[in-house]
Amino acid sequence: MEQLNPRAKEEDNDTMDIEFVVNRVKSGDKQAYAILIRKFEKKIYTYCYCILKSREEAEDALQEIFIKAYQDIDRYEERETFSAWLYKIAYHHCLDQIRKQSRWQRLVSLYQEQQTLFYDNYNKQAGIEQAIHELLMPLNREEKNILLLKVVEQYSFEEIGQIMDCKSATLRKKYERLRKKLHQQKMYKGGVASGEIAKSN
Amino acid sequence: MEKLPNQTDSQDLMHIRHTIQSMEMPVDSFSNKIMNRLEEKNRRSSKTKRMKKTLVAASTAAALGAGIIGSGFVSPAMAESLGNIPLVSNVFKLAGDLGLRTAHEKGLITEGNQSDTQDGITISVPQVMYDGTRVSMAIHRKAPGLTSYLNGSHVNTDGEVISEPEGTKGTIRRVDLFMNGKPLTHLSESLARQINVGWGPGVDKDSAILRFSDLSNQGLGDPAFPDQFDLTMKLTLEGVNDPFTINVPVKKSINNNIVLSSGITKEFDHIRVTLEKAELSPSTTRVSIIEDGTSNEIPKRYKDDKTTILQLGYDVFDDHGTRLELLGGQGNDEGSKRYTYKDYTYEPFKVTPKSFTIKPFLHVYKDKNENHGEFLLDSNGEPVKEYIKELEMAIPVTE
């Protein structure tokens, strides 16, 4: 039986037939699952990081999500893309984690975010994490999800509705509100930034 | 010409997309790790529930500032006056907080030479200090050719904090601790009972200082660390596959700490704060507070709705009005009464005072109507604090 090479480089993401690989896994080719992991792990990691706000938690979550997906793979029935199905697992897992986080930890996460912002006054090196922090800070959890799924992963509202268990019409409205919020945030920041520059001169 | 709002927006969205997508994973792939875990499980095995940490080491800006004292820059004159003593054995003396420098002078430090080598890099633990309130460990890295700062950041000569980019090889990624074989950190089964390890700069790019405390002041019945124990540390560096495993014997260096359990309580604005315990050692001041934030009538500036956790911080002043630097803290609200246990470590008093004062405060934010966001800074660039006088506690020191 032909063995799929888990280290095969995906030159062109679009031509990799995910559904084919999934069927291999379903039929018992465990090693084929490694291909799926490599294909989706960075996206899932980034998603978890944005929601859970911690690299360590994102690492843990990522592994749990892929393990759960493997264990439940028989339940995947191609009603949606595998990637959307995987995101659904990720969405619910992160939701669970946030609920389990004690209020103390949520407070400290917020506090640590503030610390990061505080130090950014002194730290000229921007860093991706800092940029993401600032970007996501004004958004609540639901808004973060919509932003990540719509803008980063570019799912349709229907697909997002399946992932988040929400009507696509509702999501559309929330998305519009979210865009306004980000726009206003940007205007405010622009004002603040120039004020600070003026002060330092 | 002014950009149309729609145009700007979709450019912004592209920018957002690009920013988020440029986040890197800490390793090339988790595939092997996940596949290994699947090997261990059978298809029909139970799900591993990863319980969340409820304790987080909360270091304030002041704490980071404290860790930076004396680090990152050793003048030639200083180096000369130390003679030819290798810097490795002087991490605490040169880079430690006031307490560690004091401990060094008083000979309260255990020297060691345990080490481990992976990938051509050697990690050793040359110094350990344990005074009953905290364990501090000096870590040294020997890595020819690596220029990264072990602890992940450094202070330049302008006093600015410069962080290493995430994932820089040779920086500390994770610390796992085991006491007499039992894991202390990263516990998946226990909600609250895990130690949080913090780390800060050492004397140069190849050294760092680790710090942690026990959970005895968290209101959950955890015991204090014993006077003597064996610690195994697994230190994971970015860019190095296998962790460094080092055995560290830890011994309490002194036995004359002043322990005060005054139970002094103050009430104001429907809040109650109690000093549960204070412990004064020559190297550390440890202050443990119990907050009762359960009342519904507490004003909004202290806390958000639906939480009992207050946003109060605590400063400690000696009997001359000098403020102690905060080193770190941890907290917990998992107890049955929903009180919050806050456990802080500060630098020691230079001289045992006759009394000291604990001053609870709220941070002031740039947007004065909010209780979160950017701190308001004073003319020195320090966050502005609003001290709550009615909650101040004056603690007499009785030996």
Side-chain angles (χ1 to χ4, degrees):
Chain A
M1 189 149 90
E2 213 190 300
Q3 270 286 307
L4 287 174
N5 179 7
R7 277 169 186 62
K9 268 231 149 164
E10 333 130 17
E11 249 94 34
D12 186 345
N13 284 341
D14 292 330
T15 60
M16 167 156 300
D17 193 340
I18 300 295
E19 308 300 329
F20 174 69
V21 178
V22 174
N23 283 327
R24 288 293 299 246
V25 176
K26 275 182 168 184
S27 62
D29 183 355
K30 199 168 189 171
Q31 287 311 308
Y33 193 61
I35 301 177
L36 294 176
I37 296 173
R38 280 176 185 263
K39 170 87 177 139
F40 294 110
E41 60 185 338
K42 182 172 181 297
K43 286 172 188 276
I44 299 289
Y45 176 82
T46 307
Y47 169 81
C48 293
Y49 174 78
C50 289
I51 302 293
L52 301 174
K53 298 186 248 189
S54 145
R55 278 189 179 270
E56 217 172 336
E57 300 215 14
E59 238 180 87
D60 286 347
L62 173 93
Q63 294 177 57
E64 294 298 314
I65 288 161
F66 273 104
I67 288 174
K68 180 161 207 313
Y70 181 80
Q71 289 170 336
D72 286 354
I73 199 120
D74 290 333
R75 287 199 220 147
Y76 171 64
E77 273 166 46
E78 291 188 42
R79 255 183 273 133
E80 63 258 283
T81 61
F82 180 78
S83 137
W85 183 76
L86 191 62
Y87 260 98
K88 196 168 180 175
I89 297 175
Y91 171 78
H92 286 289
H93 180 86
C94 289
L95 206 64
D96 280 344
Q97 295 307 91
I98 291 184
R99 286 199 187 119
K100 279 184 197 149
Q101 278 177 355
S102 79
R103 287 159 281 184
W104 168 260
Q105 188 176 8
R106 259 183 261 145
L107 175 70
V108 177
S109 299
L110 177 67
Y111 194 52
Q112 287 174 335
E113 274 181 35
Q114 293 161 7
Q115 294 306 314
T116 322
L117 286 176
F118 171 65
Y119 262 95
D120 197 44
N121 288 335
Y122 297 85
N123 187 350
K124 295 221 173 90
Q125 196 175 55
I128 299 295
E129 273 187 27
Q130 183 53 38
I132 294 180
H133 266 303
E134 283 189 24
L135 218 77
L136 298 179
M137 198 155 133
L139 305 179
N140 64 34
R141 184 195 36 84
E142 195 180 47
E143 288 166 338
K144 273 193 206 119
N145 265 297
I146 297 173
L147 183 80
L148 293 167
L149 294 171
K150 183 81 194 126
V151 176
V152 181
E153 292 307 320
Q154 302 188 309
Y155 283 117
S156 69
F157 286 113
E158 281 66 39
E159 283 172 312
I160 301 177
Q162 284 179 325
I163 294 170
M164 287 176 66
D165 232 335
C166 192
K167 292 209 180 90
S168 64
T170 316
L171 290 169
R172 222 179 275 269
K173 281 203 198 95
K174 295 201 166 157
Y175 178 63
E176 289 311 314
R177 259 183 261 148
L178 163 65
R179 285 185 66 166
K180 280 207 185 84
K181 200 177 187 179
L182 287 175
H183 186 75
Q184 280 168 357
Q185 187 73 16
K186 188 186 166 216
M187 303 297 291
Y188 175 69
K189 270 210 97 181
V192 170
S194 38
E196 283 181 353
I197 290 169
K199 212 170 37 169
S200 68
N201 284 338
Chain B
M1 180 168 120
E2 272 274 348
K3 281 195 180 136
L4 297 168
N6 273 339
Q7 240 186 324
T8 324
D9 275 349
S10 47
Q11 273 186 340
D12 289 338
L13 291 180
M14 263 185 54
H15 171 72
I16 289 172
R17 180 157 194 257
H18 184 255
T19 304
I20 291 178
Q21 283 181 331
S22 45
M23 173 151 228
E24 299 283 339
M25 292 204 304
V27 294
D28 168 56
S29 172
F30 287 97
S31 165
N32 285 335
K33 208 167 177 185
I34 294 169
M35 294 305 286
N36 285 338
R37 276 183 71 179
L38 287 174
E39 283 304 318
E40 285 168 22
K41 289 170 179 280
N42 290 322
R43 277 200 146 211
R44 47 179 170 76
S45 73
S46 57
K47 295 173 194 169
T48 320
K49 277 188 162 58
R50 309 284 298 198
M51 296 305 221
K52 288 328 289 171
K53 288 192 259 194
T54 58
L55 295 178
V56 183
S59 294
T60 65
L64 289 172
I68 284 162
I69 291 171
S71 77
F73 181 67
V74 179
S75 71
M78 247 178 114
E80 222 183 284
S81 71
L82 296 167
N84 289 322
I85 306 165
L87 285 179
V88 169
S89 60
N90 274 298
V91 178
F92 280 173
K93 185 174 173 64
L94 294 172
D97 53 71
L98 174 63
L100 289 178
R101 296 200 296 276
T102 313
H104 194 273
E105 284 156 27
K106 297 186 176 169
L108 300 173
I109 294 191
T110 318
E111 311 262 327
N113 57 3
Q114 300 267 22
S115 67
D116 188 20
T117 304
Q118 301 284 343
D119 241 8
I121 299 174
T122 303
I123 295 285
S124 61
V125 182
Q127 291 168 311
V128 181
M129 195 284 292
Y130 174 45
D131 64 353
T133 69
R134 55 159 163 149
V135 178
S136 281
M137 290 171 24
I139 308 289
H140 184 261
R141 174 191 73 188
K142 189 156 143 211
L146 273 190
T147 55
S148 59
Y149 277 77
L150 178 59
N151 76 294
S153 70
H154 69 282
V155 183
N156 67 13
T157 42
D158 289 329
E160 293 170 312
V161 179
I162 311 291
S163 297
E164 300 282 5
E166 194 61 32
T168 302
K169 181 167 182 181
T171 59
I172 297 175
R173 175 155 148 232
R174 182 181 162 126
V175 177
D176 289 87
L177 297 176
F178 302 81
M179 186 192 289
N180 301 328
K182 263 181 53 185
L184 295 180
T185 55
H186 302 100
L187 301 177
S188 55
E189 313 82 36
S190 164
L191 268 175
R193 288 169 171 88
Q194 52 190 359
I195 303 287
N196 290 283
V197 183
W199 53 87
V203 67
D204 58 14
K205 63 176 171 67
D206 291 310
S207 57
I209 300 180
L210 258 56
R211 177 181 57 241
F212 57 95
S213 294
D214 64 38
L215 305 173
S216 57
N217 296 338
Q218 292 293 284
L220 296 169
D222 288 85
F225 287 153
D227 285 356
Q228 202 168 332
F229 54 95
D230 283 316
L231 210 59
T232 304
M233 175 183 72
K234 284 201 169 127
L235 186 98
T236 308
L237 293 185
E238 296 282 3
V240 179
N241 276 333
D242 294 311
F244 297 79
T245 305
I246 301 174
N247 291 321
V248 184
V250 182
K251 190 168 164 196
K252 193 160 144 187
S253 47
I254 28 177
N255 249 317
N256 55 359
N257 290 355
I258 298 170
V259 179
L260 309 166
S261 5
S262 66
I264 290 180
T265 300
K266 291 283 171 157
E267 277 190 60
F268 180 66
D269 267 348
H270 305 278
I271 293 168
R272 229 171 14 144
V273 298
T274 305
L275 174 68
E276 186 205 16
K277 185 176 168 191
E279 189 166 352
L280 279 54
S281 88
S283 339
T284 315
T285 303
R286 186 178 190 180
V287 171
S288 311
I289 307 273
I290 306 176
E291 283 177 355
D292 178 0
T294 54
S295 165
N296 288 327
E297 298 178 66
I298 295 174
K300 237 195 161 67
R301 64 211 192 97
Y302 290 100
K303 70 184 186 94
D304 286 327
D305 285 333
K306 301 175 189 170
T307 181
T308 56
I309 300 167
L310 305 174
Q311 300 221 12
L312 289 172
Y314 295 84
D315 272 345
V316 176
F317 294 83
D318 70 11
D319 47 13
H320 296 291
T322 309
R323 186 175 64 84
L324 300 185
E325 288 293 341
L326 176 68
L327 300 175
Q330 54 194 1
N332 177 279
D333 73 333
E334 296 293 314
S336 52
K337 290 195 183 149
R338 283 264 160 260
Y339 294 163
T340 307
Y341 285 74
K342 289 182 178 171
D343 188 11
Y344 295 103
T345 47
Y346 303 83
E347 291 191 324
F349 294 105
K350 294 199 171 77
V351 170
T352 308
K354 295 204 172 61
S355 71
F356 61 92
T357 313
I358 300 172
K359 297 193 185 182
F361 64 86
L362 290 173
H363 278 293
V364 180
Y365 297 91
K366 276 192 173 152
D367 182 346
K368 300 223 170 134
N369 294 322
E370 291 287 2
N371 64 4
H372 58 272
E374 274 189 66
F375 293 149
L376 183 67
L377 304 180
D378 64 17
S379 50
N380 294 325
E382 297 289 324
V384 174
K385 293 174 179 168
E386 182 199 334
Y387 289 100
I388 317 292
K389 216 167 164 47
E390 293 85 348
L391 293 175
E392 266 178 38
M393 293 175 274
I395 317 292
V397 177
T398 49
E399 305 217 27

